[in-house]
Amino acid sequence: RFSLLLLNLEEYYFEQHTANHIINKGCRDERKFRGSLKICSKSVIFEPDDNIQPIIKIPLRDCISIKAPEDSEANNPFTRDTSGTISVVCNQVFLIKERNIIAPYKTVRGGTEHLFQLDVAGKLGDVVQTLHQLYRASCLDKMGDQAAMITAILQSRLARTSFDKNRFQSISETLHMECKAEMVTPLVTNPGHVCVTDANLYFQPLNGYPKPVVQITLQNVRRIYKRRHGLMPLGLEVFCTENDLCSDIYLKFYNYQDRDELYFLIATYIENHITEHTAESYMLQWQRGHISNYQYLLHLNNLADRSCNDLSQYPVFPWIIADYSSSVLDLTKPETFRDLSKPIGALNKERLDRLLKRYQEMPEPKFMYGSHYSSPGYVLFYLVRVAPEYMLCLQNGKFDHADRMFNSLAETWKNCLDGATDFKELIPEFYENDSGFLVNSLKLDLGKRQGGKIVEDVELPPWASGPDDFLQKSQEALESQYVSEHLHEWIDIIFGYKQKGSEAVAAHNVFHPLTYEGGVDLNSIMDPNEKVALLTQILEFGQTPKQLFTIPHPRRIIPKLKSLSRTSSHSVSIIESPVSPNEESFEDLTEESIKLAWNNIAKLKLDEQYKIHKEAITGIAVTCNGSSVFTTSQDSTLKMFSKESKTIQRSVSFSNMALSSCLILPGDTTVISSSWDNHIYFYSIAFGRQQDILMGHDDAVSKICWRDGRLYSASWDSTVKVWHCVPGETLSNKKYHFELLAELEHDVSVNTIDLNAANTVLASGTKEGTISVWDVTTATVLHQLPCFVVVSFVAFFFCTDSRHLLSTGEDCCFKVTDVQTGMLISSVSTDEPQR
């Protein structure tokens, strides 16, 4: 019956002793109850073996005296039964789980004496000394001083013990690391020793609870995450499954060096067979339809430090459905759904106007919402029917008032829309398969509401025939086409670029600054009392997830939806893979889903090969009818190759410098070549001679493009220039008039450029591996993508969907990159750099 939830928040369970609780000692009705005496940092707890009897919890701060019998009395043969007895006199005790029923704690006030007789009398002195020490800590006026003294006691105990190597699974195991840590479970932590061998991860609790050793086989580990716990980078969570919500162990360390070393050891062990996923990689899987909306949100929560073991950072899921009154849930109507582009607090305009007025009048630091969308109280508000002991732990042995309970879906949604301080989102359980949290199966006495109605099961909307049906329809709503089209907007608010800064202000998404990562540096606060108070405030108030995206999150690719249902919350996807080239042509796909066909890039095979230049080829251009191929090379020549005769028909040199690229103008009459001599050459195919020269750069011209009478030139002089080219009048000796329209400046040499199909976006690639995306109409940079941090670009081209770039670099790879996110879509290695 005992659990760590019987402790106060931030309290430790140190040791336990088998003992008898003696009632009415010396009287005719004297009784003894056998059980276990638990010594905790802020209380003494006695758990009787008889489940009918209540667990007794005595707060140390409410004790009047704690003592053992005098030595003379202990040695008196006539009082031998007092040996090993501890007397605790207090003015308040709590009675818990009487008749083994989970209910609010009963408080007994007034001076009472409790006698506990230890089975091992020899431990009496140590136990009393420990209780005196903890009692002194509990009596300190300031919380910071209390915490400091208890921490010192804990560290002293940990220093005197070490991991029991006899607990190793095999005598052949090799020890790699041992350190002190705490195992984290919701609302409580349990100190002990961590040990890592070449085969296992072990945790041995200092108190032996709930079992002597927790063991994780490293071979079974699938995911491992560094965590921020209590605003400090000290947590580590280990999963032995790919998609489960709850982990196998969550550890909190006393310094980040130990945490990082353990992470390194485990990560090194599993790196050969486990791929570490990033937010971007999961985003790509989600966009492609390879994982469901539910799975994607679960992964984002994991990456953003949200954990089921930390109620102040519990996974957050969105309200999806806005209709709780209709008899039928229509998922084809947009009005059925909540506006996912706004935070909960901004859904009601009247309430938002009031909040904004207060915000504008507020001194710095300003915030729009006085409460958060996720906090321990909100999590347990939803889960009280399946986790009542957590609620009792959080609220000092009491349930919330019956009218403030989670009584009805419709009421809760209405309060989130209209309530002055209610902005809570949902939790993953609303989109899973266990409906237990909606049903009072434990028959808890949760009180009576105004009007006398007893709090029982959660009242469901008319469109749900029961709890399981409600969850099934909620899952269908989460995976619906509407949500798939708009979920990225909610992600922007919770995990993305609208979480902080000016974008958050514009989106009406500003919470108290202490809720954000980095909002306070606990190490800089020297006053221990201020630190404890601040930490308690933040942990109870709730924390904003770690920011995962700093640019707008792309929409999901919505191909032909074959199904809108999800048979299981852990199913792979609700969308059939949109790319199956054997079944569907490129034209059958939606514009964005074309990128999925790049998966087939690995199927490319060499057809024919010809050596026509002495040095590296730098440019290729093919005539419209496909009969001739023009190439430029670092050997300074422009060559014309006939595909029919498979022979070189022309070879031209404009200077003794390398040529860097070439293109053919519409009509197949003119070839333009760029050179390292800073010039651009115009060559007439029909007349076989040079027509014109453009001297427009201060360094080598690296790449040229032609679109709608405009020439775009990139150069090692760190510019891209846009020219308007007007042909002259003489047909046989056509000269061009060049007008410089724009100059796009870069920090380093530009190696390559290309334009999208609409000629509105230009992408430039630098020698340092950065992609710059430009708005051609305004000559302004839209964003930069450092995708090839150390690999210089050789060339790249926009895909027909204007969203993806096919690039080649000095890393000997063909790569497909998403222009908006900078994500690598596909990569194929070659033996040497491709041009």
Side-chain angles (χ1 to χ4, degrees):
R1 290 189 299 161
F2 171 81
S3 83
L4 297 179
L5 294 169
L6 299 183
L7 278 59
N8 294 349
L9 296 177
E10 304 297 318
E11 182 176 9
Y12 296 110
Y13 166 35
F14 284 142
E15 60 192 54
Q16 69 93 24
H17 304 274
T18 305
N20 290 314
H21 181 210
I22 305 173
I23 299 177
N24 299 325
K25 178 174 175 58
C27 301
R28 295 179 61 183
D29 58 348
E30 176 181 324
R31 290 181 294 167
K32 289 185 178 180
F33 294 101
R34 190 160 184 75
S36 175
L37 185 68
K38 322 280 187 182
I39 309 301
C40 307
S41 59
K42 297 180 181 179
S43 61
V44 178
I45 297 175
F46 181 76
E47 178 190 20
D49 292 342
D50 185 355
N51 286 349
I52 300 297
Q53 298 300 316
I55 294 173
I56 298 170
K57 178 178 179 178
I58 306 173
L60 289 172
R61 67 173 184 274
D62 293 325
C63 290
I64 299 171
S65 70
I66 302 172
K67 61 183 181 179
E70 297 296 330
D71 288 342
S72 58
E73 185 179 349
N75 294 327
N76 188 332
F78 299 102
T79 59
R80 191 176 305 157
D81 63 339
T82 64
S83 176
T85 301
I86 302 172
S87 167
V88 180
V89 179
C90 59
N91 53 33
Q92 179 173 255
V93 298
F94 297 106
L95 305 182
I96 305 169
K97 286 188 179 178
E98 190 170 5
R99 299 187 179 277
N100 208 26
I101 295 173
I102 300 172
Y105 303 170
K106 292 182 180 179
T107 306
V108 179
R109 294 184 173 86
T112 55
E113 181 182 24
H114 296 267
L115 295 174
F116 302 102
Q117 187 178 40
L118 304 182
D119 271 18
V120 182
K123 293 185 177 180
L124 179 65
D126 290 339
V127 172
V128 171
Q129 183 180 0
T130 298
L131 288 174
H132 283 166
Q133 198 175 21
L134 294 170
Y135 170 73
R136 288 195 298 273
S138 297
C139 290
L140 294 173
D141 292 335
K142 297 181 177 180
M143 295 296 294
D145 296 337
Q146 288 185 28
M149 186 170 178
I150 290 172
T151 298
I153 295 170
L154 169 63
Q155 291 301 321
S156 174
R157 284 173 164 262
L158 288 170
R160 295 196 303 269
T161 58
S162 62
F163 186 88
D164 181 4
K165 307 303 187 296
N166 293 320
R167 295 287 180 180
F168 283 177
Q169 290 288 300
S170 168
I171 58 172
S172 63
E173 285 186 61
T174 302
L175 175 66
H176 286 323
M177 176 188 179
E178 180 180 351
C179 66
K180 300 175 288 185
E182 297 177 13
M183 188 169 77
V184 178
T185 52
L187 299 181
V188 288
T189 60
N190 202 12
H193 296 274
V194 169
C195 198
V196 185
T197 70
D198 55 351
N200 294 289
L201 165 67
Y202 298 96
F203 176 77
Q204 185 172 32
L206 189 64
N207 49 38
Y209 179 88
K211 54 185 180 180
V213 168
V214 177
Q215 179 238 330
I216 304 288
T217 302
L218 294 182
Q219 192 172 357
N220 295 335
V221 174
R222 289 294 173 269
R223 292 178 290 147
I224 179 170
Y225 298 98
K226 291 181 180 180
R227 293 289 188 224
R228 172 179 52 131
H229 186 274
L231 302 186
M232 302 289 283
L234 300 174
L236 188 72
E237 194 162 22
V238 179
F239 293 78
C240 291
T241 58
E242 290 290 354
N243 295 308
D244 280 3
L245 184 62
C246 297
S247 64
D248 291 81
I249 192 169
Y250 187 144
L251 297 170
K252 170 195 170 187
F253 296 81
Y254 295 111
N255 59 73
Y256 72 87
Q257 292 93 342
D258 284 346
R259 192 277 303 271
D260 290 350
E261 183 179 351
L262 186 71
Y263 178 90
F264 174 78
L265 286 171
I266 298 178
T268 301
Y269 181 89
I270 68 176
E271 68 179 354
N272 292 329
H273 59 99
I274 301 297
T275 301
E276 183 175 357
H277 291 289
T278 62
E280 287 76 16
S281 66
Y282 282 126
M283 177 180 71
L284 185 58
Q285 290 185 52
W286 173 74
Q287 278 188 282
R288 291 174 168 178
H290 292 175
I291 59 176
S292 65
N293 292 340
Y294 168 87
Q295 287 175 313
Y296 185 42
L297 291 176
L298 208 59
H299 289 311
L300 291 184
N301 273 284
N302 255 326
L303 292 170
D305 280 342
R306 314 302 284 188
S307 167
C308 290
N309 285 307
D310 185 352
L311 295 189
S312 67
Q313 299 188 91
Y314 201 79
V316 56
F317 270 59
W319 283 94
I320 293 295
I321 300 169
D323 179 4
Y324 294 94
S325 58
S326 300
S327 57
V328 177
L329 186 66
D330 188 348
L331 297 181
T332 64
K333 293 164 53 179
E335 52 267 30
T336 298
F337 300 93
R338 164 258 181 106
D339 185 347
L340 289 165
S341 68
K342 298 176 180 178
I344 289 290
L347 293 176
N348 182 329
K349 188 178 184 306
E350 292 183 7
R351 178 178 66 177
L352 179 62
D353 289 342
R354 294 194 299 269
L355 292 169
L356 288 178
K357 183 179 179 183
R358 187 190 69 174
Y359 173 75
Q360 290 159 2
E361 297 170 350
M362 186 182 295
E364 294 291 346
K366 294 184 175 186
F367 53 91
M368 294 179 187
Y369 308 113
S371 61
H372 207 256
Y373 51 77
S374 176
S375 70
Y378 288 161
V379 174
L380 296 177
F381 167 84
Y382 292 125
L383 297 180
V384 63
R385 289 169 176 80
V386 290
E389 292 179 86
Y390 292 88
M391 176 68 84
L392 294 173
C393 175
L394 184 68
Q395 300 201 153
N396 299 316
K398 301 174 183 176
F399 289 134
D400 205 350
H401 189 278
D403 285 302
R404 291 195 295 269
M405 284 280 188
F406 181 31
N407 294 304
S408 157
L409 262 304
E411 282 183 19
T412 302
W413 171 243
K414 185 178 186 302
N415 204 51
C416 287
L417 289 180
D418 302 336
T421 59
D422 194 347
F423 313 108
K424 59 178 170 284
E425 291 279 8
L426 295 183
I427 54 177
E429 283 78 359
F430 279 83
Y431 303 103
E432 295 180 347
N433 297 320
D434 186 354
S435 61
F437 73 102
L438 300 169
V439 182
N440 186 16
S441 56
L442 296 176
K443 303 301 178 187
L444 302 169
D445 181 2
L446 299 174
K448 290 183 179 180
R449 305 186 64 184
Q450 289 182 356
K453 187 176 181 180
I454 297 175
V455 176
E456 285 290 348
D457 299 345
V458 177
E459 184 180 327
L460 302 174
W463 45 258
S465 61
D468 290 340
D469 185 55
F470 170 78
L471 290 190
Q472 177 65 31
K473 287 185 167 68
S474 296
Q475 292 171 11
E476 292 172 2
L478 178 63
E479 306 299 345
S480 66
Q481 181 161 345
Y482 177 89
V483 174
S484 292
E485 291 173 349
H486 295 276
L487 187 59
H488 66 284
E489 298 172 334
W490 186 82
I491 293 171
D492 282 336
I493 291 170
I494 304 299
F495 303 105
Y497 82 111
K498 291 184 179 179
Q499 187 196 90
K500 297 178 182 178
S502 58
E503 293 288 351
V505 175
H508 306 130
N509 192 39
V510 182
F511 294 86
H512 195 286
L514 292 181
T515 67
Y516 296 93
E517 183 180 26
V520 61
D521 180 8
L522 288 180
N523 290 325
S524 67
I525 300 175
M526 305 312 297
D527 185 345
N529 301 300
E530 181 184 351
K531 182 180 293 188
V532 169
L534 193 63
L535 186 59
T536 302
Q537 175 188 349
I538 293 169
L539 295 183
E540 292 183 359
F541 187 89
Q543 297 177 66
T544 301
K546 178 191 292 184
Q547 189 176 25
L548 301 179
F549 306 102
T550 55
I551 60 175
H553 191 290
R555 291 179 56 169
R556 192 175 198 181
I557 301 167
I558 307 295
K560 298 170 181 177
L561 293 180
K562 309 253 175 111
S563 169
L564 287 178
S565 63
R566 185 178 74 186
T567 56
S568 165
S569 63
H570 304 294
S571 64
V572 174
S573 175
I574 56 131
I575 300 177
E576 298 285 339
S577 180
V579 171
S580 181
N582 294 329
E583 299 174 6
E584 302 179 17
S585 69
F586 236 61
E587 291 72 19
D588 290 333
L589 304 177
T590 60
E591 187 170 315
E592 280 195 321
S593 66
I594 289 174
K595 77 174 192 179
L596 296 180
W598 285 114
N599 289 336
N600 296 309
I601 195 172
K603 299 177 182 178
L604 290 175
K605 292 183 179 179
L606 181 65
D607 187 18
E608 293 179 298
Q609 188 173 15
Y610 303 97
K611 182 172 177 61
I612 60 177
H613 285 277
K614 296 178 181 179
E615 295 186 35
I617 292 175
T618 57
I620 299 176
V622 183
T623 56
C624 290
N625 60 13
S627 62
S628 298
V629 178
F630 286 85
T631 58
T632 52
S633 168
Q634 289 183 7
D635 64 11
S636 77
T637 63
L638 167 69
K639 296 192 177 184
M640 177 179 172
F641 179 81
S642 171
K643 288 182 63 180
E644 294 178 4
S645 64
K646 299 183 180 5
T647 59
I648 298 173
Q649 295 186 329
R650 296 187 191 180
S651 181
V652 182
S653 290
F654 301 113
S655 75
N656 60 357
M657 298 286 283
L659 297 179
S660 56
S661 68
C662 65
L663 59 85
I664 302 176
L665 293 186
D668 289 351
T669 59
T670 303
V671 178
I672 307 178
S673 299
S674 56
S675 173
W676 285 7
D677 66 4
N678 309 356
H679 298 166
I680 299 171
Y681 296 93
F682 291 71
Y683 175 80
S684 172
I685 300 174
F687 294 95
R689 61 171 177 254
Q690 178 182 309
Q691 279 186 327
D692 211 341
I693 302 176
L694 171 61
M695 296 176 282
H697 286 279
D698 299 324
D699 204 340
V701 182
S702 53
K703 181 67 188 293
I704 51 175
C705 293
W706 180 279
R707 298 290 176 83
D708 294 338
R710 292 185 178 183
L711 178 67
Y712 300 80
S713 58
S715 171
W716 293 354
D717 65 8
S718 304
T719 67
V720 174
K721 294 184 179 181
V722 185
W723 308 88
H724 184 213
C725 300
V726 182
E729 299 299 326
T730 308
L731 185 63
S732 63
N733 191 22
K734 193 178 277 186
K735 292 282 186 178
Y736 286 81
H737 300 291
F738 302 105
E739 178 188 355
L740 181 61
L741 300 180
E743 186 170 334
L744 313 180
E745 295 186 355
H746 296 66
D747 294 330
V748 295
S749 299
V750 183
N751 283 4
T752 185
I753 55 172
D754 195 35
L755 285 95
N756 67 347
N759 302 332
T760 56
V761 176
L762 179 144
S764 56
T766 70
K767 72 171 186 178
E768 292 186 351
T770 299
I771 299 175
S772 296
V773 182
W774 300 80
D775 183 336
V776 174
T777 57
T778 61
T780 56
V781 67
L782 298 176
H783 50 273
Q784 290 186 321
L785 308 170
C787 304
F788 294 71
V789 179
V790 294
V791 179
S792 177
F793 283 111
V794 174
F796 59 42
F797 300 93
F798 266 103
C799 175
T800 53
D801 63 3
S802 298
R803 177 69 180 273
H804 304 94
L805 287 170
L806 172 63
S807 62
T808 61
E810 293 178 355
D811 58 352
C812 304
C813 287
F814 280 118
K815 296 185 179 180
V816 181
T817 305
D818 186 306
V819 174
Q820 185 170 350
T821 65
M823 283 189 55
L824 184 63
I825 309 296
S826 184
S827 179
V828 176
S829 297
T830 59
D831 294 333
E832 58 185 15
Q834 302 297 302
R835 299 280 171 177

